[in-house]
Amino acid sequence: MTARVFLNGQWLPAQEARVSVMDRGFLFGDGVYEVIPVYSRRPFRLEQHLARLQQSLDGIQLANPHRTDEWIGFVTQMALEAEWEDQSIYIQVTRGPMAVRNHAFPPEVIPTVLILAEPMLTPPASQREQGIAVVSAADIRWLRCDLKTTSLLANCLLRQLAVTAGCVETVLFRDGFLTEGSASSIFVIRDGVLLAPIKNHLMLPGITYDIILELAAQHGLPHEVRDITEAETRGADELWMCSSTKEVLPVVMLDGRAVGKVGAGATPGPVFARMYAWYQEFKATVMRA
Ligand code: PDD
């Protein structure tokens, strides 16, 4: 972990940073967060991450403790200070401490604000070249998955199913439809068309999801944003998972069965190869700007 963290307006050595045991983030998971990728010390899509932070705060009725320019200042400073060139910056805002344990909001809310940096752990090249295996599970989460809250128990249990099975991610279905992964967005390719689930209360509006759709539009890849059935997902020609830290990865096995046309083998598909190249090109352009 990073040497210095930002906690409630102070820059402190991580081991000196303290949060009350009465913090609602600790006792209730009453808080929101963001994970911002940093390449060569430059935060990537910071504006969009901060806009989503605002949406999450609005969604839990917690006033934003900082203006956008202040957030930009803190994150930029963290990106310059941390010891790694490529990082993942974590922001958390909770509803702060309460005098007595009570589910209802305290009369006076003093939010807890934490920012820390970790080294960016990009997926090994083998995952990109050979693809990853995933399992599936029923989406047991609540009905506000559009908010990036720190109440992540269901996501943790779901991700652990993948780990126990020796896989990378758990793909979630709710009522017969694809939602997303336990900590990623999922795309389906069928007959050369990129299918994306509709952004609604059942999935996180992914920043990487938006980039993938922007790149599809820019490069003329046919794409549709619509409900995707479980059967369509299982019968996909290609499946991808994406997130700020994993970028985009090809899924080649779902519940022990190869993804794609029978006989094609469990290998990443041609549309993935194009999207991966577009993504890297886009990143390089943004970072040069
Ligand atoms: N998770 N869906 C869920 C449930 C997620 O937790 C994430 C990201 C995504 C992808 O969103 P984005 O492209 O904005 O990173 C989708 C982060 C990385 C995390 O919790 O660590």
Side-chain angles (χ1 to χ4, degrees):
M1 222 208 329
T2 181
R4 285 217 305 170
V5 300
F6 176 92
L7 180 65
N8 300 329
Q10 281 186 294
W11 293 85
L12 299 166
Q15 33 326 345
E16 285 173 28
R18 296 277 178 277
V19 176
S20 164
V21 294
M22 294 306 285
D23 196 280
R24 294 174 65 87
F26 178 56
L27 291 179
F28 295 140
D30 183 357
V32 299
Y33 76 106
E34 274 301 322
V35 178
I36 303 154
V38 172
Y39 300 105
S40 306
R41 300 195 178 278
R42 294 178 65 178
F44 185 62
R45 290 252 155 164
L46 179 55
E47 210 179 295
Q48 288 84 347
H49 280 278
L50 293 177
R52 187 173 62 184
L53 177 67
Q54 182 66 57
Q55 282 166 23
S56 299
L57 288 166
D58 291 345
I60 70 160
Q61 300 166 51
L62 180 55
N64 195 332
H66 294 294
R67 297 188 313 267
T68 302
D69 61 308
E70 291 175 332
W71 282 117
I72 293 173
F74 304 146
V75 172
T76 308
Q77 183 174 342
M78 181 60 89
L80 291 175
E81 268 203 13
E83 74 185 87
W84 316 277
E85 291 287 304
D86 292 350
Q87 309 155 23
S88 145
I89 290 190
Y90 178 81
I91 297 181
Q92 174 170 320
V93 184
T94 80
R95 208 179 311 272
M98 52 197 160
V100 288
R101 185 177 170 278
N102 182 350
H103 290 60
F105 301 168
E108 193 200 352
V109 173
I110 304 163
T112 300
V113 176
L114 170 70
I115 307 175
L116 57 82
E118 291 184 322
M120 164 76 95
L121 295 175
T122 41
S126 59
Q127 290 192 349
R128 199 179 67 240
E129 286 156 12
Q130 286 147 39
I132 58 165
V134 303
V135 291
S136 71
D139 194 339
I140 55 168
R141 300 173 303 161
W142 70 334
L143 298 175
R144 290 308 307 274
C145 296
D146 53 321
L147 306 177
K148 203 163 172 63
T149 74
T150 58
S151 318
L152 286 172
L153 180 56
N155 301 65
C156 294
L157 294 172
L158 290 163
R159 170 57 71 84
Q160 194 58 31
L161 291 176
V163 173
T164 303
C167 293
V168 171
E169 179 59 302
T170 304
V171 170
L172 308 176
F173 297 109
R174 197 192 285 261
D175 300 329
F177 291 95
L178 170 68
T179 54
E180 57 182 339
S182 71
S184 62
S185 309
I186 304 290
F187 288 95
V188 168
I189 306 289
R190 287 176 67 94
D191 303 321
V193 180
L194 171 67
L195 304 179
I198 301 167
K199 280 201 250 177
N200 58 21
H201 62 294
L202 300 179
M203 67 172 266
L204 187 79
I207 306 296
T208 321
Y209 166 106
D210 283 345
I211 298 174
I212 300 280
L213 284 181
E214 283 169 30
L215 290 172
Q218 196 182 317
H219 293 276
L221 174 66
H223 54 282
E224 286 174 29
V225 179
R226 64 163 170 85
D227 288 331
I228 302 166
T229 66
E230 180 169 342
E232 286 177 311
T233 310
R234 295 195 183 279
D237 296 328
E238 296 184 29
L239 267 186
W240 307 343
M241 77 170 271
C242 75
S243 76
S244 293
T245 46
K246 304 249 183 210
E247 299 185 343
V248 53
L249 285 176
V251 174
V252 296
M253 294 282 273
L254 170 59
D255 292 331
R257 293 180 56 183
V259 173
K261 299 259 185 300
V262 177
T267 50
V271 191
F272 169 78
R274 289 162 65 199
M275 181 54 77
Y276 182 79
W278 296 334
Y279 196 94
Q280 296 311 316
E281 190 186 288
F282 171 71
K283 234 172 69 183
T285 315
V286 172
M287 289 301 122
R288 269 197 307 269

PDB file of all heavy atoms in Angstrom, residues 178-200:
ATOM      1  N   LEU A 178     -28.632 -11.162 -18.482  1.00  0.00           N
ATOM      2  CA  LEU A 178     -27.280 -10.810 -18.072  1.00  0.00           C
ATOM      3  C   LEU A 178     -27.297  -9.436 -17.394  1.00  0.00           C
ATOM      4  O   LEU A 178     -27.919  -8.498 -17.915  1.00  0.00           O
ATOM      5  CB  LEU A 178     -26.384 -10.743 -19.334  1.00  0.00           C
ATOM      6  CG  LEU A 178     -24.979 -10.159 -19.161  1.00  0.00           C
ATOM      7  CD1 LEU A 178     -24.094 -11.079 -18.319  1.00  0.00           C
ATOM      8  CD2 LEU A 178     -24.333  -9.929 -20.538  1.00  0.00           C
ATOM      9  N   THR A 179     -26.633  -9.317 -16.248  1.00  0.00           N
ATOM     10  CA  THR A 179     -26.465  -7.988 -15.653  1.00  0.00           C
ATOM     11  C   THR A 179     -25.014  -7.534 -15.847  1.00  0.00           C
ATOM     12  O   THR A 179     -24.730  -6.717 -16.710  1.00  0.00           O
ATOM     13  CB  THR A 179     -26.898  -7.939 -14.167  1.00  0.00           C
ATOM     14  OG1 THR A 179     -26.225  -8.953 -13.433  1.00  0.00           O
ATOM     15  CG2 THR A 179     -28.388  -8.084 -14.023  1.00  0.00           C
ATOM     16  N   GLU A 180     -24.087  -8.127 -15.077  1.00  0.00           N
ATOM     17  CA  GLU A 180     -22.668  -7.762 -15.202  1.00  0.00           C
ATOM     18  C   GLU A 180     -21.833  -8.817 -14.494  1.00  0.00           C
ATOM     19  O   GLU A 180     -22.330  -9.905 -14.207  1.00  0.00           O
ATOM     20  CB  GLU A 180     -22.438  -6.364 -14.623  1.00  0.00           C
ATOM     21  CG  GLU A 180     -22.861  -6.223 -13.179  1.00  0.00           C
ATOM     22  CD  GLU A 180     -22.660  -4.805 -12.620  1.00  0.00           C
ATOM     23  OE1 GLU A 180     -21.870  -4.034 -13.164  1.00  0.00           O
ATOM     24  OE2 GLU A 180     -23.295  -4.502 -11.598  1.00  0.00           O
ATOM     25  N   GLY A 181     -20.572  -8.513 -14.205  1.00  0.00           N
ATOM     26  CA  GLY A 181     -19.744  -9.417 -13.422  1.00  0.00           C
ATOM     27  C   GLY A 181     -19.738  -8.950 -11.971  1.00  0.00           C
ATOM     28  O   GLY A 181     -20.269  -7.879 -11.652  1.00  0.00           O
ATOM     29  N   SER A 182     -19.097  -9.728 -11.082  1.00  0.00           N
ATOM     30  CA  SER A 182     -19.091  -9.342  -9.667  1.00  0.00           C
ATOM     31  C   SER A 182     -18.344  -8.031  -9.456  1.00  0.00           C
ATOM     32  O   SER A 182     -18.623  -7.300  -8.514  1.00  0.00           O
ATOM     33  CB  SER A 182     -18.487 -10.451  -8.802  1.00  0.00           C
ATOM     34  OG  SER A 182     -17.096 -10.549  -9.026  1.00  0.00           O
ATOM     35  N   ALA A 183     -17.372  -7.737 -10.331  1.00  0.00           N
ATOM     36  CA  ALA A 183     -16.658  -6.451 -10.267  1.00  0.00           C
ATOM     37  C   ALA A 183     -16.235  -6.010 -11.663  1.00  0.00           C
ATOM     38  O   ALA A 183     -15.134  -5.490 -11.864  1.00  0.00           O
ATOM     39  CB  ALA A 183     -15.446  -6.566  -9.345  1.00  0.00           C
ATOM     40  N   SER A 184     -17.103  -6.229 -12.637  1.00  0.00           N
ATOM     41  CA  SER A 184     -16.765  -5.874 -14.024  1.00  0.00           C
ATOM     42  C   SER A 184     -18.042  -5.765 -14.854  1.00  0.00           C
ATOM     43  O   SER A 184     -19.101  -6.228 -14.432  1.00  0.00           O
ATOM     44  CB  SER A 184     -15.865  -6.960 -14.634  1.00  0.00           C
ATOM     45  OG  SER A 184     -16.551  -8.202 -14.664  1.00  0.00           O
ATOM     46  N   SER A 185     -17.907  -5.161 -16.023  1.00  0.00           N
ATOM     47  CA  SER A 185     -19.008  -5.149 -16.987  1.00  0.00           C
ATOM     48  C   SER A 185     -18.764  -6.282 -17.980  1.00  0.00           C
ATOM     49  O   SER A 185     -17.616  -6.642 -18.240  1.00  0.00           O
ATOM     50  CB  SER A 185     -19.048  -3.829 -17.750  1.00  0.00           C
ATOM     51  OG  SER A 185     -19.012  -2.745 -16.859  1.00  0.00           O
ATOM     52  N   ILE A 186     -19.863  -6.826 -18.521  1.00  0.00           N
ATOM     53  CA  ILE A 186     -19.753  -7.954 -19.457  1.00  0.00           C
ATOM     54  C   ILE A 186     -20.386  -7.580 -20.795  1.00  0.00           C
ATOM     55  O   ILE A 186     -21.467  -6.989 -20.837  1.00  0.00           O
ATOM     56  CB  ILE A 186     -20.468  -9.217 -18.881  1.00  0.00           C
ATOM     57  CG1 ILE A 186     -19.910  -9.593 -17.489  1.00  0.00           C
ATOM     58  CG2 ILE A 186     -20.364 -10.398 -19.849  1.00  0.00           C
ATOM     59  CD1 ILE A 186     -18.506 -10.142 -17.440  1.00  0.00           C
ATOM     60  N   PHE A 187     -19.705  -7.929 -21.874  1.00  0.00           N
ATOM     61  CA  PHE A 187     -20.234  -7.727 -23.230  1.00  0.00           C
ATOM     62  C   PHE A 187     -20.330  -9.070 -23.940  1.00  0.00           C
ATOM     63  O   PHE A 187     -19.556  -9.979 -23.667  1.00  0.00           O
ATOM     64  CB  PHE A 187     -19.286  -6.846 -24.049  1.00  0.00           C
ATOM     65  CG  PHE A 187     -19.273  -5.405 -23.633  1.00  0.00           C
ATOM     66  CD1 PHE A 187     -18.323  -4.932 -22.746  1.00  0.00           C
ATOM     67  CD2 PHE A 187     -20.205  -4.513 -24.142  1.00  0.00           C
ATOM     68  CE1 PHE A 187     -18.301  -3.600 -22.362  1.00  0.00           C
ATOM     69  CE2 PHE A 187     -20.188  -3.180 -23.756  1.00  0.00           C
ATOM     70  CZ  PHE A 187     -19.235  -2.729 -22.872  1.00  0.00           C
ATOM     71  N   VAL A 188     -21.277  -9.126 -24.873  1.00  0.00           N
ATOM     72  CA  VAL A 188     -21.515 -10.341 -25.657  1.00  0.00           C
ATOM     73  C   VAL A 188     -21.317  -9.988 -27.126  1.00  0.00           C
ATOM     74  O   VAL A 188     -21.750  -8.923 -27.569  1.00  0.00           O
ATOM     75  CB  VAL A 188     -22.977 -10.819 -25.426  1.00  0.00           C
ATOM     76  CG1 VAL A 188     -23.391 -11.884 -26.420  1.00  0.00           C
ATOM     77  CG2 VAL A 188     -23.169 -11.313 -23.993  1.00  0.00           C
ATOM     78  N   ILE A 189     -20.687 -10.875 -27.878  1.00  0.00           N
ATOM     79  CA  ILE A 189     -20.600 -10.693 -29.336  1.00  0.00           C
ATOM     80  C   ILE A 189     -21.386 -11.827 -29.985  1.00  0.00           C
ATOM     81  O   ILE A 189     -21.144 -13.008 -29.678  1.00  0.00           O
ATOM     82  CB  ILE A 189     -19.137 -10.787 -29.853  1.00  0.00           C
ATOM     83  CG1 ILE A 189     -18.214  -9.828 -29.124  1.00  0.00           C
ATOM     84  CG2 ILE A 189     -19.082 -10.567 -31.366  1.00  0.00           C
ATOM     85  CD1 ILE A 189     -18.403  -8.396 -29.444  1.00  0.00           C
ATOM     86  N   ARG A 190     -22.332 -11.452 -30.848  1.00  0.00           N
ATOM     87  CA  ARG A 190     -23.077 -12.468 -31.603  1.00  0.00           C
ATOM     88  C   ARG A 190     -23.187 -12.003 -33.047  1.00  0.00           C
ATOM     89  O   ARG A 190     -23.608 -10.873 -33.308  1.00  0.00           O
ATOM     90  CB  ARG A 190     -24.483 -12.663 -31.023  1.00  0.00           C
ATOM     91  CG  ARG A 190     -24.493 -13.420 -29.689  1.00  0.00           C
ATOM     92  CD  ARG A 190     -25.892 -13.494 -29.136  1.00  0.00           C
ATOM     93  NE  ARG A 190     -26.758 -14.323 -29.977  1.00  0.00           N
ATOM     94  CZ  ARG A 190     -26.968 -15.612 -29.769  1.00  0.00           C
ATOM     95  NH1 ARG A 190     -26.388 -16.231 -28.759  1.00  0.00           N
ATOM     96  NH2 ARG A 190     -27.765 -16.295 -30.554  1.00  0.00           N
ATOM     97  N   ASP A 191     -22.783 -12.867 -33.963  1.00  0.00           N
ATOM     98  CA  ASP A 191     -22.866 -12.562 -35.398  1.00  0.00           C
ATOM     99  C   ASP A 191     -22.232 -11.207 -35.721  1.00  0.00           C
ATOM    100  O   ASP A 191     -22.830 -10.400 -36.462  1.00  0.00           O
ATOM    101  CB  ASP A 191     -24.335 -12.595 -35.870  1.00  0.00           C
ATOM    102  CG  ASP A 191     -24.984 -13.948 -35.573  1.00  0.00           C
ATOM    103  OD1 ASP A 191     -24.288 -14.976 -35.742  1.00  0.00           O
ATOM    104  OD2 ASP A 191     -26.155 -13.968 -35.145  1.00  0.00           O
ATOM    105  N   GLY A 192     -21.110 -10.937 -35.124  1.00  0.00           N
ATOM    106  CA  GLY A 192     -20.373  -9.706 -35.437  1.00  0.00           C
ATOM    107  C   GLY A 192     -20.931  -8.453 -34.780  1.00  0.00           C
ATOM    108  O   GLY A 192     -20.443  -7.348 -35.025  1.00  0.00           O
ATOM    109  N   VAL A 193     -21.975  -8.618 -33.947  1.00  0.00           N
ATOM    110  CA  VAL A 193     -22.576  -7.451 -33.288  1.00  0.00           C
ATOM    111  C   VAL A 193     -22.195  -7.457 -31.802  1.00  0.00           C
ATOM    112  O   VAL A 193     -22.309  -8.490 -31.135  1.00  0.00           O
ATOM    113  CB  VAL A 193     -24.119  -7.458 -33.438  1.00  0.00           C
ATOM    114  CG1 VAL A 193     -24.735  -6.236 -32.751  1.00  0.00           C
ATOM    115  CG2 VAL A 193     -24.517  -7.517 -34.909  1.00  0.00           C
ATOM    116  N   LEU A 194     -21.764  -6.298 -31.330  1.00  0.00           N
ATOM    117  CA  LEU A 194     -21.441  -6.142 -29.908  1.00  0.00           C
ATOM    118  C   LEU A 194     -22.739  -5.843 -29.156  1.00  0.00           C
ATOM    119  O   LEU A 194     -23.431  -4.871 -29.470  1.00  0.00           O
ATOM    120  CB  LEU A 194     -20.450  -4.987 -29.752  1.00  0.00           C
ATOM    121  CG  LEU A 194     -20.130  -4.515 -28.333  1.00  0.00           C
ATOM    122  CD1 LEU A 194     -19.384  -5.567 -27.541  1.00  0.00           C
ATOM    123  CD2 LEU A 194     -19.305  -3.233 -28.388  1.00  0.00           C
ATOM    124  N   LEU A 195     -23.058  -6.685 -28.191  1.00  0.00           N
ATOM    125  CA  LEU A 195     -24.266  -6.473 -27.390  1.00  0.00           C
ATOM    126  C   LEU A 195     -23.869  -6.016 -25.991  1.00  0.00           C
ATOM    127  O   LEU A 195     -23.002  -6.633 -25.364  1.00  0.00           O
ATOM    128  CB  LEU A 195     -25.080  -7.760 -27.278  1.00  0.00           C
ATOM    129  CG  LEU A 195     -25.506  -8.431 -28.589  1.00  0.00           C
ATOM    130  CD1 LEU A 195     -26.294  -9.713 -28.288  1.00  0.00           C
ATOM    131  CD2 LEU A 195     -26.360  -7.472 -29.425  1.00  0.00           C
ATOM    132  N   ALA A 196     -24.513  -4.949 -25.527  1.00  0.00           N
ATOM    133  CA  ALA A 196     -24.228  -4.417 -24.191  1.00  0.00           C
ATOM    134  C   ALA A 196     -25.524  -4.358 -23.408  1.00  0.00           C
ATOM    135  O   ALA A 196     -26.545  -3.899 -23.931  1.00  0.00           O
ATOM    136  CB  ALA A 196     -23.638  -3.014 -24.304  1.00  0.00           C
ATOM    137  N   PRO A 197     -25.502  -4.803 -22.147  1.00  0.00           N
ATOM    138  CA  PRO A 197     -26.721  -4.684 -21.333  1.00  0.00           C
ATOM    139  C   PRO A 197     -27.070  -3.214 -21.110  1.00  0.00           C
ATOM    140  O   PRO A 197     -26.182  -2.361 -21.092  1.00  0.00           O
ATOM    141  CB  PRO A 197     -26.347  -5.345 -20.000  1.00  0.00           C
ATOM    142  CG  PRO A 197     -24.985  -5.923 -20.164  1.00  0.00           C
ATOM    143  CD  PRO A 197     -24.380  -5.364 -21.394  1.00  0.00           C
ATOM    144  N   ILE A 198     -28.357  -2.935 -20.942  1.00  0.00           N
ATOM    145  CA  ILE A 198     -28.815  -1.559 -20.730  1.00  0.00           C
ATOM    146  C   ILE A 198     -28.382  -1.085 -19.344  1.00  0.00           C
ATOM    147  O   ILE A 198     -28.556  -1.806 -18.365  1.00  0.00           O
ATOM    148  CB  ILE A 198     -30.361  -1.499 -20.828  1.00  0.00           C
ATOM    149  CG1 ILE A 198     -30.826  -1.982 -22.194  1.00  0.00           C
ATOM    150  CG2 ILE A 198     -30.875  -0.096 -20.526  1.00  0.00           C
ATOM    151  CD1 ILE A 198     -32.323  -2.260 -22.265  1.00  0.00           C
ATOM    152  N   LYS A 199     -27.860   0.131 -19.296  1.00  0.00           N
ATOM    153  CA  LYS A 199     -27.497   0.701 -17.984  1.00  0.00           C
ATOM    154  C   LYS A 199     -28.786   1.041 -17.242  1.00  0.00           C
ATOM    155  O   LYS A 199     -29.548   1.900 -17.683  1.00  0.00           O
ATOM    156  CB  LYS A 199     -26.711   2.000 -18.192  1.00  0.00           C
ATOM    157  CG  LYS A 199     -25.252   1.797 -18.530  1.00  0.00           C
ATOM    158  CD  LYS A 199     -24.481   3.061 -18.211  1.00  0.00           C
ATOM    159  CE  LYS A 199     -24.021   3.757 -19.437  1.00  0.00           C
ATOM    160  NZ  LYS A 199     -23.344   5.016 -19.220  1.00  0.00           N
ATOM    161  N   ASN A 200     -29.021   0.339 -16.159  1.00  0.00           N
ATOM    162  CA  ASN A 200     -30.187   0.663 -15.322  1.00  0.00           C
ATOM    163  C   ASN A 200     -29.831   0.382 -13.867  1.00  0.00           C
ATOM    164  O   ASN A 200     -28.637   0.261 -13.556  1.00  0.00           O
ATOM    165  CB  ASN A 200     -31.427  -0.125 -15.793  1.00  0.00           C
ATOM    166  CG  ASN A 200     -31.177  -1.630 -15.766  1.00  0.00           C
ATOM    167  OD1 ASN A 200     -30.280  -2.099 -15.076  1.00  0.00           O
ATOM    168  ND2 ASN A 200     -31.965  -2.378 -16.505  1.00  0.00           N
TER     169      ASN A 200
END
